[in-house]
């Protein structure tokens, strides 16, 4: 490799001394900021790497994207363009591609690394210590992923010598964002503005945001996007909307991203073609087959359908006396000839209110195991209720041997502070993925169940409900970006740790200042537990405000019981909690015996799940030696105090973070502290009406008036589905 | 002035040679881009000007904003910070402030320039040819406006020697954006995403966009903002929302911008306090007085209320048997003690469908002349119908001697192609402002009526319905920014020409390349007439689709007649047009005799107003010698062809405009051409069913099927008011 000449070094010094002119850190760039590199050694390393970049010629497609990404990175990190083609003296410093696309890579030593990488994996290596760094893959997409890997590590301040050689391929084949976006651009449970899909101006106008969205996803390995809400609108299946979806699919394709749509089960009726949607009716089967053919004609790599059926008012096969399997197979047969899949959600409701909402998905789906087509995935939320701040893993994981299950997590923070609370979901996702299911066999975990390795299956799905919207920084809260990033990184490799993700994201997002990185990663590490403490500690769940789910509502009652808070916490003067043991709903029996056993005794059940599985007296003795009541009070109080600690930590970073984002997060942490106090005050004043016990002395007493908290109204809180 | 030394010049050359690293032209910066100056002479001039900047010390407020703006400008245009304080050798190059705030300016020679400038005017001068440039004003806001003037001219590539000295003060005292923004963040007639007001996170979270919105407005002299929709929600008058509005008012104040709100007339009832909203009821009067006091307690410089009453379903004084004057005076009395005003809209509807919708405002308001309080403005749309592509000026202008009238124009393009058509409204605004009203006396124009000069009034109002939304570029269409800019520039000085505005905006927005500026300004100059030609030529109006107003709907009938198209065009086999002469509705009699006279004869009436005022036969002879039918056909055809010309002009600019905006506008012009064809095809096929005449041979024949055009549905077109 050539040493930079003096002339270039002098220029480099000038360039490094110039701050970016007038560019505010508005958050739009996400973790792809490519901030100017301040460390001269590191800048030199990157400079050397980019002074002779060889890659296949392309005017469009993945290689063109890859080339443009290298340019962006170089302009940002160094203030200059990379040298494409051999550098001075004909030297190549970075070679990227597949053996098929680049003769230079078509030799045995390179090809031998490729089997096993699949269509998305890549190798980064420098076989000759004085030769170029190679990024080799079986496909252009693999090369793009490898390039993003390299750029991520360079941005994070790493030295290639410390991470080469490496080889990666994804553990889960379909890594999909679920957009709960409506055609009117509202977003159900969206807290970052409105839908980025400007349906009205599609297909003629392609917002530049679409390409940036695709870049961001590709950079963390997300390879699918369901454009529309699971509370589905049949209109998206009409020709004008298929044309609009096609425009997005065409744009996303070179980024390795497939488009999926939600299928409204009654579409054959609602679009005016048939008077039934019975899945066993031949006309209905033909309708869906024709519809699938029409979609695939426009979008040859269309991913398939996501379906919410017979749940929260959505139509489904049960309306016609048929089973979920009948419904899923109908659609699966329609897309199968084209290689499509159906993701059928397990989040269902019976018309009758069940004894225990937590049991329903298991009760409905386990009997159907074996009756689904091969291209059906049952998409299961991480826990058995509904994305609560903390849930035990869903008992379906490991319980269906013959049916692949997809994991659905929620990236948007419906129950975790929406767009005003700083909460790392990397911790929540990790908690679920690592949970030992003991089924199909130890040491099975949720991760090994869904990535297919327990069953030797080739295809697998992980879905995340998107938190992306029209806000300039995409996610409303600057730290919401972490949760999008974390979803992608964990869907690629469910065994990655939250700590690794926090560290990597912080470096990419805020820079490599070691003290700052340490402070933020510490903040992140505790943030999920803190949010649980001030909202739903000790296994409590479903205490939020009605409909908008903003803030506390432990008093919510009336209407359908399993949509209230009192149904779940069951507080009265005798105690609190939902008995899901054999003396109660027996929901625990849905888990493997080892799990059920470990959680069945209130004295040995982990306290984080205590009130989830058990109903106990207010004086129930806790591990700390305190009563349950005192523990509950002190936990809420601790949660609030920890937000104060977070504020102080953040305040200590002033001057080490750009003023825009520093100010934004400062304001949001102040709001979070108020909201934490609101949760604590509301819940403790409310539960005290049952416990009739004093607050323990060593805490800040709850303030305010319970009736006033109950009277608060938020008619225009964001994210409410208009039709609810 | 000091010459730059060699060292600095060398650095400057390096800096000028560097393109901005990775910064896409996303449009967020509007006309405040401060692009790097490429011309070395010009860069030198700016460099010299900013190497010793003296201004009053301030940590916050207008001077701090002004200082930050100079920094942004310098970083952008030169790549370096200005020198604040005396420069090398103690030399001042730019001195900004008021004599009261800066001793340096407190001398007779400076103070003598200030009388007559008012609170917002400024002087830019260089009294000593070798001395500093001075920006002097009576207030910090005036100094801020003067600074924006200087920076605008520097950005546009002008040499101070060519524009100094100058002195400006606004001709209209209140230059106000009207946001039709709802509390759920939808925007009625908004085509640029959703409301930038994030009410949910206010007051705790101040989106950085708020300050950028204020900067943009201040830079063109807009000094007021009505935050909420004229279809008003009483909730904004409750304490939590007043606190949110206060947060915005506090932020906007140092930018010289006052906050206004819309007042829901029935608020005393809807907020649950009273069972009547009768303006003569003493309890109602007390309620509004207390409400105004409460608002002014939070926002001492609150501007006042904008009211839409007894119009399109909005409640008003007529519900209680009272007049518009009773209603307006009720609110005027409430805000008068605090210096507030009431803007009462003349856009009203009687419960009964009138013989001629165009006459209604005049009929209702002229009899009330003299009965309004001094702090009431009657806010009148530019034309008598409703923001149609072209309307004759509203007959109320000049017809109310004792009542100040405010002009309301629509910046958002409800009827002019929404966010997909490139249309300069500078031409439309100019057309209205320059219209000779002949009242109160020649040479009165709409401008001299509303700026108060015809009556010697001190206060005046011009309002523009905002086109701002959450889109990254604020206005959806990149050229929508021009219309926001033009509103501000014309409200400051209604005598400015559209040509001046086009030239200035183009330079600020796209750069100073002379050929490019010439091409774009030519494009802009014809854009309004082109849009009229392909949508509503020859005085046609109100032909748009129902409810969403997107695209053509000349066939719209049924429901309230004056909300249909057929009510306005009255086409049948005998002819087309609305007879507003003495043989018809006599609406022409509402104008001054000179005007009525000039427009009353279909043979001499300007053809642009022909079908507005006259009903004529299809064979009516036109000035060209053609029949009306042929002229109509050829005009639609010409409009479409002109959009083709616009596309070709734009395509010729490839490489001279950044690829992002070049691509965006290219796509939008392609959509505009399709929409123009859709208008032409729909309207001509529809009108042909009445004219029963062939299309003239020298045009492109309309394509498509009328029934198919009529069947098109756009349920999710943007901007529909949810409650309509």
């Amino acid at each position: 490799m050539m040493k930079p000449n003096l002339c270039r070094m002098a220029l480099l010094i000038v360039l490094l001394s110039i701050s970016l002119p007038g560019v505010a850190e508005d958050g739009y760039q996400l973790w792809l900021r490519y901030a100017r590199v301040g460390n001269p050694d590191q800048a030199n390393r990157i400079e050397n790497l980019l002074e002779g970049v060889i890659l296949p010629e392309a005017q469009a497609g993945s290689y063109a994207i890859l080339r443009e990404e290298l340019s962006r990175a170089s302009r940002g990190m160094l203030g200059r363009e990379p040298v494409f083609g051999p550098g001075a003296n004909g030297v190549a410093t970075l070679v990227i591609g597949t053996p098929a696309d680049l003769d230079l890579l078509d030799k045995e030593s390179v090809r031998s690394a490729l089997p096993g990488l699949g269509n998305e994996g890549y190798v980064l290596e420098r076989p000759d210590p004085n030769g170029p760094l190679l990024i080799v893959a079986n496909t252009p997409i693999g090369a793009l992923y490898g390039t993003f890997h390299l750029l991520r590590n360079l941005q994070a301040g790493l030295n290639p010598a410390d991470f080469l050689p490496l080889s990666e391929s994804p553990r889960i084949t379909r890594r999909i964002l679920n957009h709960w976006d409506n055609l009117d651009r509202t977003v159900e449970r969206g807290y970052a503005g409105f839908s980025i899909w400007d349906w009205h101006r599609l297909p003629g106008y392609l917002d530049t945001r679409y390409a940036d969205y695709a870049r961001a996803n590709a950079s963390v390995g997300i390879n699918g996007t369901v454009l529309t809400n699971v509370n589905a609108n049949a209109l998206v299946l009409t020709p004008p909307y298929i044309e609009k979806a096609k425009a997005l699919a065409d744009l996303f394709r070179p980024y390795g991203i497939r488009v999926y749509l939600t299928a409204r089960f009654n579409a054959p009726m609602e679009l005016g073609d048939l008077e039934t949607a019975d899945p066993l009716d031949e006309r209905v089967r033909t309708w869906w087959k024709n519809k699938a053919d029409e979609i695939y004609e426009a979008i040859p790599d269309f991913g398939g359908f996501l379906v919410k059926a017979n749940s929260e008012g959505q139509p489904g096969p049960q309306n016609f006396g048929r089973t979920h399997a009948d419904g899923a197979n109908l659609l699966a047969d329609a897309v199968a000839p084209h290689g499509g899949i159906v993701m059928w959600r397990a989040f269902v409701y019976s018309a009758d209110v069940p004894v225990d909402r937590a049991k329903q998905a298991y009760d409905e789906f386990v009997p159907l195991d074996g009756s689904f087509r091969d291209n059906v995935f049952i998409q299961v939320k991480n826990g058995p209720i509904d994305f609560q701040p903390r849930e035990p893993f869903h008992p379906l994981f490991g319980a269906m041997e013959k049916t692949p299950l997809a994991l659905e997590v929620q990236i948007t923070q419906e129950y975790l502070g929406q767009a005003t609370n700083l909460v790392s979901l990397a911790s929540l996702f990790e908690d679920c993925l690592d949970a030992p299911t003991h089924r199909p066999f130890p040491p099975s975990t949720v991760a090994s169940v869904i990535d297919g390795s327990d069953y030797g299956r080739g295809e697998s799905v992980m879905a995340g409900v998107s938190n992306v919207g029209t806000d300039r920084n995409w996610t409303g809260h600057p730290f919401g970006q972490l949760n999008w990033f974390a979803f992608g990184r964990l869907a690629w490799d469910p065994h990655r740790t939250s700590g690794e993700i926090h560290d990597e994201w912080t470096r990419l997002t805020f820079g490599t200042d070691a003290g700052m990185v340490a402070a933020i990663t510490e903040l992140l590490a505790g943030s999920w537990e803190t949010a649980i403490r001030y909202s739903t500690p000790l296994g409590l769940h479903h205490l939020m405000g009605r409909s908008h789910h903003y803030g506390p509502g432990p008093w919510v009652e009336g209407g359908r019981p399993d949509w209230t808070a009192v149904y779940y916490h069951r507080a009265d003067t005798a105690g609190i909690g939902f008995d899901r043991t054999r003396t109660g709903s027996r929901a625990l029996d849905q888990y493997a015996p080892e799990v059920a056993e470990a959680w069945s005794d209130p004295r040995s059940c982990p306290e984080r799940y205590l009130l989830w599985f058990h109903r106990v007296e207010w004086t129930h003795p806790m591990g700390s030696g305190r009563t349950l009541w005192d523990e509950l009070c002190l936990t809420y109080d601790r949660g609030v105090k920890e937000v104060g600690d977070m504020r102080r930590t953040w305040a200590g970073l002033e001057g080490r973070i750009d003023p825009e984002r520093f100010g934004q997060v400062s304001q949001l942490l102040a709001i979070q502290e108020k909201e934490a106090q609101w949760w604590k005050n509301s819940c403790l004043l409310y539960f005290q009406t049952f416990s009739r016990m004093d607050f323990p002395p060593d805490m800040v007493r709850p303030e305010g008036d319970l009736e006033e908290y109950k009277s608060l109204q938020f008619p225009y809180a964001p994210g409410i589905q208009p039709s609810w």
Side-chain angles (χ1 to χ4, degrees), chain A:
Chain A
M1 214 174 341
M2 199 185 72
K3 281 202 173 251
N5 62 36
L6 278 179
C7 181
R8 197 181 303 126
M9 284 203 65
L11 180 62
L12 191 64
I13 288 163
V14 171
L15 288 168
L16 293 174
S17 67
I18 302 165
S19 63
L20 292 189
V23 179
E25 287 281 5
D26 62 17
Y28 185 80
Q29 302 301 328
L30 296 161
W31 47 85
L32 299 168
R33 289 162 59 243
Y34 302 125
R36 191 62 51 91
V37 174
N39 177 317
D41 286 347
Q42 198 203 339
N44 250 320
R45 273 199 304 269
I46 301 174
E47 171 106 356
N48 290 341
L49 199 56
L50 299 180
E51 69 189 9
V53 181
I54 312 285
L55 71 173
E57 282 293 326
Q59 293 304 308
S62 305
Y63 288 126
I65 288 164
L66 189 165
R67 181 186 167 115
E68 174 58 22
E69 196 68 27
L70 286 169
S71 284
R72 283 174 194 261
S74 182
R75 284 197 300 267
M77 293 196 283
L78 305 176
R80 46 157 292 186
E81 289 289 336
V83 177
F84 289 106
N89 307 333
V91 174
T93 57
L94 177 61
V95 180
I96 309 175
T98 70
D101 294 328
L102 204 61
D103 290 342
L104 197 59
L105 294 171
D106 191 16
K107 40 190 176 185
E108 181 49 34
S109 62
V110 171
R111 268 189 277 113
S112 64
L114 296 177
L117 288 182
N119 287 330
E120 302 186 308
Y122 50 83
V123 171
L124 267 65
E125 61 180 353
R126 179 173 272 148
D128 170 358
N130 297 315
L133 194 158
L134 310 185
I135 302 178
V136 195
N138 288 313
T139 66
I141 295 298
L144 180 62
Y145 283 150
T147 303
F148 274 120
H149 190 133
L150 174 67
L151 293 176
R152 197 163 56 226
N153 284 10
L154 294 178
Q155 270 206 93
L158 306 185
N159 182 343
D162 298 332
F163 60 81
L164 293 185
L166 67 84
S167 159
E168 285 216 3
S169 57
R171 302 282 297 240
I172 291 174
T173 59
R174 296 184 190 241
R175 307 170 298 277
I176 305 177
L177 285 188
N178 288 189
H179 286 268
W180 288 358
D181 291 19
N182 300 310
L183 300 184
D184 64 1
R185 297 190 73 177
T186 57
V187 180
E188 183 175 353
R189 310 311 173 189
Y191 309 104
F194 293 80
S195 174
I196 60 172
W197 315 131
D198 183 358
W199 290 108
H200 180 67
R201 292 201 286 179
L202 280 169
Y205 186 71
L206 295 170
D207 194 312
T208 49
R209 200 156 193 152
Y210 303 150
D212 290 322
Y213 165 86
R215 281 177 62 222
N217 281 326
S219 77
V220 293
I222 294 169
N223 68 358
T225 178
V226 184
L227 301 175
T228 44
N229 192 356
V230 289
N231 290 316
N233 187 325
L235 206 64
V236 83
L237 302 175
T238 60
Y241 278 88
I242 292 172
E243 200 191 344
K244 294 167 193 278
K246 170 188 165 50
L248 291 174
D250 288 344
L251 196 156
F252 294 161
R253 190 168 296 113
Y255 295 91
I257 297 170
R258 284 177 176 204
V259 157
Y260 299 74
L261 293 173
T262 48
R264 173 92 171 162
F265 200 78
N266 277 3
M269 300 165 69
E270 294 177 11
L271 296 180
D273 297 322
L274 297 176
E275 68 281 7
T276 179
D278 179 347
L280 300 192
D281 187 300
E282 207 46 50
R283 293 164 303 166
V284 173
R285 300 181 65 76
T286 302
W287 190 94
W288 281 108
K289 187 189 170 306
N290 291 342
K291 186 52 69 181
D293 291 349
E294 181 187 351
I295 295 171
Y296 277 96
E297 176 73 26
I299 309 172
D301 59 349
F302 178 66
F305 292 121
L306 170 63
V307 188
K308 174 178 181 178
N310 292 122
S311 173
E312 298 183 329
Q314 292 293 301
Q318 294 177 345
N319 300 32
F320 306 92
R322 312 300 182 185
T323 70
H324 283 292
D326 295 329
N329 292 343
L330 164 75
L331 298 173
D333 289 342
V335 297
H338 308 284
I341 64 168
V342 168
M343 295 160 288
W344 193 268
R345 293 175 92 229
F347 181 73
V348 297
Y349 277 91
S350 65
D352 306 320
V353 175
V355 173
D356 184 356
R357 169 92 193 87
K359 293 175 66 179
Q360 190 152 349
Y362 185 100
D363 287 345
E364 290 222 28
F365 281 89
V366 168
L368 296 173
D369 194 19
S371 32
F372 293 99
R373 298 282 187 273
D374 286 348
N375 60 333
V376 172
F377 288 77
I378 302 303
Q379 184 161 311
V380 183
K381 293 189 183 189
N382 58 292
I385 299 292
D386 186 14
F387 299 135
Q388 289 304 297
R390 168 150 51 213
E391 302 199 17
F393 73 87
H394 200 296
L396 273 174
F397 292 115
M400 292 181 73
E401 302 255 343
K402 298 172 193 146
T403 312
L405 302 188
L407 170 62
E408 176 180 307
V409 295
Q410 194 179 43
I411 309 171
T412 189
Q413 294 168 234
E414 178 177 0
Y415 302 102
L416 274 162
Q418 304 188 354
T420 45
N421 288 194
L422 191 167
V423 182
S424 165
L425 301 187
S427 306
L428 185 160
F429 302 160
E430 175 184 48
D431 180 72
C432 172
L433 289 163
D434 290 351
T437 59
H438 293 266
R439 289 193 300 217
F441 38 72
S444 287
T445 61
V446 172
S448 70
V449 166
I450 65 149
D451 74 9
S453 56
D454 281 351
Y455 306 95
R457 291 197 186 105
E459 281 267 34
S460 49
V461 176
M462 183 164 161
V465 180
S466 163
N467 63 345
V468 162
T470 50
D471 277 4
R472 283 194 88 207
N473 69 5
W474 300 86
T475 57
H477 198 304
F479 278 75
Q481 298 180 355
L482 164 67
N483 298 328
W484 181 8
F485 180 89
F487 168 75
R489 301 293 280 140
L490 284 166
W492 182 276
D493 179 5
H495 300 289
R496 211 178 298 275
T497 69
S498 59
E500 288 162 1
I501 292 168
H502 293 159
D503 183 76
E504 188 176 49
W505 177 81
T506 302
R507 289 167 181 274
L508 302 180
T509 305
F510 292 109
T512 53
D513 165 354
M516 179 270 290
V517 171
I520 292 182
T521 52
E522 195 191 325
L523 195 76
L524 286 170
S527 62
W528 178 47
E529 290 288 353
T530 294
I532 296 167
R533 287 189 184 106
Y534 64 68
S535 62
T536 53
L538 303 180
L540 286 169
H541 51 289
H542 213 287
L543 302 185
M544 68 287 170
R546 195 196 289 270
S547 168
H548 50 65
H549 299 171
Y550 172 62
W555 47 74
V556 168
E557 60 184 339
R560 187 173 163 130
D562 52 351
W563 288 359
T564 68
V566 298
Y567 172 92
Y568 293 97
H569 64 65
R570 309 202 162 196
D572 63 19
T573 52
I576 183 171
F578 199 127
D579 182 1
R580 293 186 165 116
T581 68
R582 292 187 178 176
T583 60
S585 78
R586 306 183 72 104
L588 251 178
D589 285 347
Q590 293 183 336
Y591 289 92
E594 299 89 331
V595 177
E597 170 72 23
W599 294 347
S600 64
D601 184 335
R603 287 163 304 185
S604 56
C605 175
E607 290 186 354
R608 66 183 184 277
Y609 297 144
L610 180 64
L611 302 179
W612 186 283
F613 287 115
H614 300 281
R615 175 169 172 76
V616 298
E617 297 181 358
W618 293 103
T619 54
H620 175 82
M622 301 294 285
S624 62
R626 298 186 194 100
T627 63
L628 170 76
W629 170 249
D630 281 6
E631 190 76 18
L632 191 69
C633 293
L634 289 165
T635 306
Y636 272 108
D637 191 52
R638 180 177 164 192
V640 172
K641 285 172 176 161
E642 285 173 350
V643 180
D645 294 339
M646 290 166 77
R647 288 188 70 184
R648 279 180 288 279
T649 299
W650 188 259
L653 296 174
E654 183 159 18
R656 298 171 84 170
I657 286 175
D658 55 280
E660 292 84 4
R661 294 183 297 173
F662 178 80
Q664 287 166 0
V665 175
S666 298
Q667 293 181 63
L668 289 166
L669 284 170
I671 293 175
Q672 183 171 354
E673 191 172 32
K674 279 192 192 163
E675 291 178 348
Q677 287 161 342
W678 174 31
W679 270 99
K680 170 189 144 183
N681 295 340
S682 300
C683 291
L684 291 183
L685 291 172
Y686 170 76
F687 288 129
Q688 194 187 38
T689 65
F690 303 109
S691 81
R692 300 179 181 174
M693 295 166 74
D694 282 342
F695 297 113
D698 43 345
M699 69 176 283
V700 178
R701 289 181 69 82
E703 291 177 345
D705 175 70
L706 179 58
E707 291 310 311
E708 213 165 288
Y709 291 125
K710 289 165 92 164
S711 74
L712 294 174
Q713 301 276 327
F714 303 94
Y716 299 110
I720 305 173
Q721 177 72 352
S723 61
W724 289 140

